[in-house]
Amino acid sequence: MRTLTPSSDPVDLAERYAYPAGGGTWLRANMVASLDGAAQRDERSGGLGNAADQELFLLLRGLADVVIVGAQTVRAEGYGPVRPRESWGAVRDGRPPVPPLAVVSRTLDLDFDAPLFTEAAVPTIVLATATADPERLRLAKERADVIVAGEDSLDFAVAVRELASRGFRRLLCEGGPGVLAQITAAGLLDELCLTLSPMLLAGHPARILNGPPLPAPPEFRLGHALEEDGFLFLRYARSR
């Protein structure tokens, strides 16, 4: 064992969280959890964070080509379209001003008149299944770029390939826990950015992965550990 000694020196977050060089697809997830493993407080992940966590949340969006999020999280967290940020500086040079959201929805129970679809600077993407209600699918195609991946359940491997074919290779998943569990089970998760919140909640909230046990759990290596106000910001990459 060794001591991870806190340092007062500031770090360049854009440099620390840069995607790996090269043209391959890289899928990272950004999640927050309490000390006892809760992924939500009062049914929202936002209740666990602080200002530094929010700063990192926005930076990771700026670094990404596309942001994947489940429809349930969109509804619970009140998602709108991604907005440009002055703090991004040059991280989006040569790319559109914002990454689009790619919303995972099997039922397409989404408000297609909401700002998420009507005010997006880059068209919102919907990741749907072939068995979605035809009328809901028609509405989705009127307001979004629809990718059909899978029959009854979403095939994330197909979805990732389709996103990559559109030039989206730096992928960011913001959850929720059910979506992240499926991505991990499919062997697609390359990196986990985990904010550890110094809270103990108890109760029975979901963990950052909410799904059946993985028969062959993937292993990750620690890339870095940052600290601010008692919060830990951990970056893990999958061991190959």
Side-chain angles (χ1 to χ4, degrees), residues 69-225:
V69 63
Q72 184 174 344
T73 298
V74 166
R75 292 188 290 265
E77 305 282 349
Y79 267 57
V82 180
R83 307 290 189 186
R85 301 282 172 174
E86 289 186 11
S87 61
W88 287 347
V91 301
R92 296 205 63 81
D93 283 356
R95 293 188 292 164
V98 298
L101 286 173
V103 182
V104 179
S105 181
R106 185 177 60 82
T107 64
L108 298 182
D109 181 18
L110 297 163
D111 181 1
F112 293 112
D113 292 320
L116 174 62
F117 296 98
T118 62
E119 298 179 11
V122 179
T124 296
I125 299 166
V126 172
L127 303 177
T129 61
T131 55
D133 177 81
E135 178 60 20
R136 299 300 299 170
L137 194 58
R138 182 189 66 80
L139 289 172
K141 290 179 177 179
E142 288 181 356
R143 293 292 174 88
D145 179 9
V146 176
I147 294 176
V148 176
E151 294 294 325
D152 295 321
S153 60
L154 197 81
D155 186 330
F156 281 94
V158 172
V160 167
R161 285 199 301 270
E162 287 296 319
L163 289 170
S165 73
R166 287 162 164 77
F168 303 125
R169 297 186 178 277
R170 289 168 284 194
L171 292 81
L172 170 65
C173 175
E174 293 181 349
V179 168
L180 184 54
Q182 294 176 67
I183 286 174
T184 306
L188 298 170
L189 185 64
D190 297 299
E191 178 184 326
L192 174 63
C193 299
L194 177 64
T195 297
L196 191 59
S197 175
M199 300 181 187
L200 291 170
L201 298 184
H204 302 282
R207 299 186 296 173
I208 63 168
L209 268 68
N210 187 14
L214 301 175
E219 295 185 2
F220 288 74
R221 65 183 186 277
L222 180 65
H224 70 225

